[in-house]
Amino acid sequence: MRPPASVLIVGGGSAGWMTAAALSRAFGARLSVSVLEDPEAVHDTGTLAPFEATLPSLTAFNASLGLDEAALMAATNATFRLGTCFRDWTRRDRDYIHPFSEIGGVLEGVPFHHYWLRLKAAGKAPPLEAFALAAVAARAGRFSRPSNDPRSVASTMAYGLHLQVAPYVAALKAGALARGVKAIAGTFADVERGAQGDTLAVIVARDGRRFEADLFIDASGPAGDLIHRLGATCLDWSRWLPCDRIACSMTSGSPGPPLTEARAVRTGWLGRVPLQTGTGTARISASAFGGGTGEGTPFTNGRRSQTWIGNCIAIGLSATTLEPLEASGLHLVQSGVSKLLGLFPAGGPMTASAAEYNRLMAAEADRLRDLLILHYHANARAGEPLWDALRQTAPPEELAHKIRMFSSRGRISLYDEETFEEPAWVSVFLGQNVIPRRYHPLADHRPLDEVQAQLERMRTVIARAAEAMPTHESVLSGSPLTPALSRVS
């Protein structure tokens, strides 16, 4: 059996056109790629909101497609992003930043946060985020691209973007069309099965047109028009993540700091995404607790039991739907596309590739789910039905193990396919006020005053590096993006 020569993507939006752009860039004329796009579609297939905060992974993805970042940012009204500020999740009037940054550094083989915990136990610890350059810079409204010099403290951070989704999709589509991808205007109606029961042979449009392909991509959004017809069920996570409505709006104004904001409110949370000409606001609510009834777009947090069945692969919201609390929408699309490229059928049965793809995508979605649940489960907003219920709901066992390990001795237990590594989990655990009962005994190896002095030197280097950066607004207006050159000491 030959490798697939043709791919039909059902659904446009970010999921469809990110897939088309990547496949056409990777295979060129060797692979015929078509996108069946509903001209009446009003919602994106990879994100829940018309604006999005992205993870640093998207930067490399865009570069792999040959997209110029400056031109892309101008077209998408984009600003830079150094992390998320979570307000009022533990209690009112308290916030913390989950930054795209290392926190301190490993000292004598011991993760930094154990030394910080030692100082905290002695009542001498500065705020944790003072040791994360991305957090310090974001608080100050400053930005510079990371340095490539590993001796520079500016090499310890990364960045994402805030952007409007529709012009981003337009840029992807333009590039894909220029490489020969065929856009087909039409509304999906039905499928015809292949000779083998778990495969597709034909996609039927509402007007009766029939489209054949070797491989089919389901980018239809939460409905999963293709994958559910092949038997993929939905795993519902609303027990732990009950928010099920999103309502969005835009206001004009200056861009503000390079920081997303997620502010907890009585029946959910408010997300603020700074753009060049204003701010996108998303209200994410739990209707079962009186939030957003009849407003905005409904959704259900969860994933498909399988995302690759036969010759059909689900990507984007067709595969996994997660509220945008940790900005995972476009990342999950990009990750799904990247894994598809790595496992692209080489001829013969697709069973092994499908099994590995399903394993990887399920693991990644589950680990992202757990990080979102941690925000809710570790809240301290007493006296409010939503927050009381989620604090009392037992988390999934994998997350429960992480919580036990961190609460006991400050250890971060990472599983396969984690999107966020140890510094991210540390920042959320400690930000949510989950304080370990013990720290690593090796952190007691040196006298406390020596540890305190070394951490103070770190904090000074980080503060100076942030001060040396230009303001976020000046960077957006065209000032040079020169990385800070301070050295780690």
Side-chain angles (χ1 to χ4, degrees):
M1 185 183 297
R2 61 177 175 78
S6 60
V7 174
L8 177 63
I9 301 169
V10 176
S14 58
W17 287 107
M18 285 173 75
T19 306
L23 289 176
S24 62
R25 182 81 173 186
F27 290 98
R30 290 178 294 156
L31 185 68
S32 172
V33 180
S34 301
V35 180
L36 178 64
E37 187 173 30
D38 187 346
E40 299 177 2
V42 294
H43 298 297
D44 190 69
T45 58
T47 65
L48 292 172
F51 40 81
E52 182 79 348
T54 76
L55 300 184
S57 56
L58 195 70
T59 303
F61 180 80
N62 291 337
S64 74
L65 298 178
L67 296 175
D68 177 76
E69 185 170 86
L72 182 67
M73 291 186 69
T76 60
N77 199 19
T79 63
F80 292 101
R81 178 175 187 245
L82 291 176
T84 301
C85 181
F86 290 93
R87 297 189 184 278
D88 302 338
W89 287 78
T90 54
R91 64 175 187 267
R92 293 177 185 83
D93 303 320
R94 183 180 184 275
D95 66 37
Y96 70 93
I97 291 177
H98 167 190
F100 298 148
S101 186
E102 293 179 19
I103 302 174
V106 175
L107 302 176
E108 299 174 328
V110 179
F112 173 83
H113 66 279
H114 290 280
Y115 289 95
W116 183 85
L117 287 168
R118 183 184 176 192
L119 289 187
K120 181 175 176 61
K124 298 181 178 181
L128 181 70
E129 69 181 47
F131 300 96
L133 178 57
V136 177
R139 288 276 191 199
R142 296 181 177 275
F143 176 81
S144 181
R145 285 194 175 92
S147 170
N148 293 322
D149 183 351
R151 298 169 298 170
S152 169
V153 69
S155 68
T156 65
M157 69 178 197
Y159 70 94
L161 300 175
H162 304 103
L163 52 75
Q164 290 181 282
V165 176
Y168 177 62
V169 172
L172 294 166
K173 182 175 180 178
L177 294 177
R179 289 190 291 271
V181 173
K182 182 179 180 182
I184 305 169
T187 303
F188 169 85
D190 206 352
V191 304
E192 292 180 9
R193 296 288 192 93
Q196 297 174 318
D198 63 350
T199 62
L200 301 177
V202 175
I203 298 298
V204 183
R206 186 184 296 170
D207 59 11
R209 288 177 295 166
R210 302 168 75 255
F211 303 98
E212 298 181 0
D214 297 325
L215 199 66
F216 296 87
I217 306 297
D218 186 342
S220 62
D225 287 328
L226 276 59
I227 201 74
H228 95 269
R229 284 171 167 79
L230 291 173
T233 57
C234 292
L235 304 182
D236 188 336
W237 292 339
S238 56
R239 172 186 177 187
W240 304 291
L241 299 170
C243 287
D244 58 359
R245 302 199 74 87
I246 181 168
C248 301
S249 61
M250 284 286 299
T251 56
S252 59
S254 58
L259 199 60
T260 317
E261 180 180 290
R263 180 165 66 89
V265 295
R266 187 174 183 84
T267 58
W269 58 278
L270 293 175
R272 290 171 56 84
V273 174
L275 300 166
Q276 290 189 34
T277 60
T279 301
T281 300
R283 176 180 286 273
I284 295 87
S285 307
S287 59
F289 293 87
T293 305
E295 298 178 357
T297 303
F299 67 92
T300 301
N301 286 295
R303 68 167 172 85
R304 296 283 170 179
S305 57
Q306 296 168 279
T307 48
W308 184 335
I309 300 176
N311 62 343
C312 176
I313 299 100
I315 289 180
L317 295 176
S318 303
T320 301
T321 299
L322 278 173
E323 61 189 83
L325 185 60
E326 285 288 358
S328 57
L330 291 179
H331 169 80
L332 281 171
V333 176
Q334 172 258 315
S335 181
V337 172
S338 298
K339 290 178 175 62
L340 172 59
L341 288 174
L343 293 165
F344 199 83
M350 301 183 192
T351 308
S353 293
E356 179 67 356
Y357 188 88
N358 287 327
R359 182 187 73 84
L360 295 173
M361 293 306 297
E364 181 169 26
D366 290 355
R367 301 293 74 77
L368 280 166
R369 171 205 66 189
D370 290 351
L371 186 61
L372 269 61
I373 293 172
L374 177 59
H375 290 281
Y376 287 102
H377 180 68
N379 85 83
R381 294 175 62 93
E384 297 175 328
L386 169 67
W387 300 97
D388 288 343
L390 292 176
R391 192 171 52 254
Q392 295 161 13
T393 299
E397 177 52 32
E398 298 93 335
L399 176 58
H401 174 71
K402 278 184 172 174
I403 293 172
R404 287 192 296 269
M405 291 301 295
F406 192 80
S407 298
S408 171
R409 53 179 293 136
R411 179 177 174 81
I412 299 294
S413 298
L414 295 177
Y415 298 95
D416 290 344
E417 302 307 309
E418 296 270 10
T419 298
F420 292 100
E421 297 297 331
E422 182 169 302
W425 283 94
V426 168
S427 69
V428 175
F429 268 122
L430 295 177
Q432 295 284 149
N433 206 33
V434 179
I435 307 299
R437 294 187 293 275
R438 294 174 293 274
Y439 52 81
H440 199 293
L442 288 178
D444 284 325
H445 178 65
R446 288 191 291 158
L448 183 63
D449 58 346
E450 288 186 16
V451 173
Q452 185 178 10
Q454 184 166 10
L455 265 61
E456 186 59 33
R457 288 194 297 272
M458 282 187 179
R459 184 166 72 145
T460 299
V461 168
I462 289 169
R464 288 175 178 170
E467 290 171 5
M469 294 179 184
T471 65
H472 185 219
E473 287 198 52
S474 68
V475 169
L476 294 173
S477 65
S479 295
L481 291 168
T482 304
L485 298 177
S486 302
R487 307 295 184 188
V488 178
S489 61

